[in-house]
Amino acid sequence: MLANLIMEAKHTVIFSGAGMSTESGIPDFRSATQGMWRHKDPAKLASTYALEHNRDEFVAFYRARIEGLQTCAPHDGHRILAEWEQRGLVHSIITQNVDGFHALAGSRYVAELHGTISRVHCQHCARVYSAVHYLEEEGTVCECGGFLRPSVVLFGESLPDDAVDMAERETYAADLFIVLGSSLQVSPANLFPQVAKRNGAKFVIVNMEPTELDYLADLVVHERKIGEVLAEANKIICTNE
Ligand code: APR
């Protein structure tokens, strides 16, 4: 059914969450078993409060995530989405992920709603450095002397205007809106699927566990790995082309 929806649609938008990258070896946040927020408090680590009042733990947390990224890579699911974009089957990706893997796998039209940890920037002069710089001894100090922090949206910060503008345009243009690997618990990101549905798009959720918006979806796929679901849909699409 997913393959048919993709082949019939005129403007398909993918909305991805941390579940898109667990098969690349990156833990998600709220999975019952491995979710990162099961053992850590996001408010104490991934927030403006942490940036100001908990700086050592903040830096250690993001250094560990940047370090982890160095040994991970996009998986076949990311590559299938990039191929579908090239073949006109997917128009864009709205992602909550900060690993940069959609672009690394070749997707060109990606809105990074929550920024990225592939770059860090200076709180004072906004100069940008690549994330690996953060792993060096003096990696948190800018040439201007300012404090360097990952270019990720922290809890308490607003989403980047350009990503939100693109996500809004794509959400309104979508006639098929597919969620891949998100618990859909975090706003305002979780408003986009609701707007797409209200705007008449077919709404699909592919997620291991139930989500907050399952009741709204035209198709829900639980307890299946995203990589496998995309590979199976791709096989059907390729035999129908
Ligand atoms: N296949 C399918 N679903 C999966 C897979 C997989 N291989 N791996 C994990 N999942 C599902 C989990 O069951 C979980 O419901 O992906 C979902 C991921 O949900 P979250 O961990 O809440 O991640 P996400 O929805 O992206 O979180 C949103 O919260 O902490 C903030 O800014 C952070 O962008 C993040 C936001």
Side-chain angles (χ1 to χ4, degrees):
M1 188 174 165
L2 175 61
N4 289 334
L5 287 170
I6 291 170
M7 287 187 283
E8 284 154 16
K10 304 250 175 315
H11 195 113
T12 297
V13 173
I14 303 290
F15 180 91
S16 67
M20 182 75 219
S21 294
T22 54
E23 292 165 72
S24 291
I26 301 180
D28 66 14
F29 299 100
R30 296 175 185 81
S31 257
T33 48
Q34 60 171 23
M36 216 186 293
W37 296 152
R38 297 271 163 217
H39 328 293
K40 298 184 172 80
D41 177 359
K44 287 213 180 68
L45 289 168
S47 64
T48 45
Y49 178 85
L51 181 64
E52 293 313 322
H53 307 292
N54 199 13
R55 198 159 271 195
D56 292 348
E57 270 192 84
F58 174 88
V59 170
F61 175 62
Y62 280 103
R63 274 181 163 155
R65 288 183 70 190
I66 290 168
E67 186 89 59
L69 264 193
Q70 307 314 309
T71 55
C72 298
H75 60 77
D76 286 345
H78 291 99
R79 278 186 283 281
I80 288 171
L81 294 178
E83 267 166 46
W84 286 355
E85 181 187 69
Q86 266 138 31
R87 290 159 58 188
L89 293 166
V90 160
H91 197 276
S92 63
I93 298 180
I94 301 170
T95 188
Q96 300 172 94
N97 298 339
V98 295
D99 51 39
F101 280 4
H102 286 302
L104 266 180
S107 291
R108 282 162 307 151
Y109 208 39
V110 182
E112 293 183 313
L113 285 183
H114 293 163
T116 180
I117 55 171
S118 60
R119 293 188 302 277
V120 298
H121 67 268
C122 178
Q123 283 276 90
H124 177 66
C125 74
R127 190 191 301 252
V128 173
Y129 298 74
S130 84
V132 282
H133 175 86
Y134 217 50
L135 303 178
E136 289 162 21
E137 190 56 35
E138 291 300 306
T140 59
V141 184
C142 176
E143 279 159 32
C144 80
F147 176 67
L148 296 177
R149 40 86 39 107
S151 302
V152 69
V153 177
L154 299 174
F155 284 106
E157 289 182 322
S158 50
L159 274 51
D161 292 342
D162 53 343
V164 172
D165 292 348
M166 176 181 155
E168 276 171 356
R169 276 197 312 276
E170 286 301 304
T171 296
Y172 278 103
D175 62 347
L176 176 59
F177 195 95
I178 303 173
V179 170
L180 298 175
S182 178
S183 63
L184 298 173
Q185 291 183 33
V186 172
S187 72
N190 64 4
L191 299 179
F192 291 106
Q194 299 174 68
V195 169
K197 175 66 185 172
R198 221 186 3 253
N199 196 42
K202 280 264 184 292
F203 179 30
V204 176
I205 297 175
V206 181
N207 199 64
M208 193 63 75
E209 299 161 312
T211 78
E212 312 250 319
L213 300 181
D214 283 356
Y215 72 96
L216 273 179
D218 298 286
L219 170 67
V220 174
V221 180
H222 285 331
E223 291 167 38
R224 295 292 313 282
K225 285 189 163 190
I226 287 166
E228 288 166 12
V229 171
L230 294 178
E232 280 171 30
N234 195 39
K235 216 184 301 175
I236 295 166
I237 290 168
C238 292
T239 46
N240 278 273
E241 290 258 290

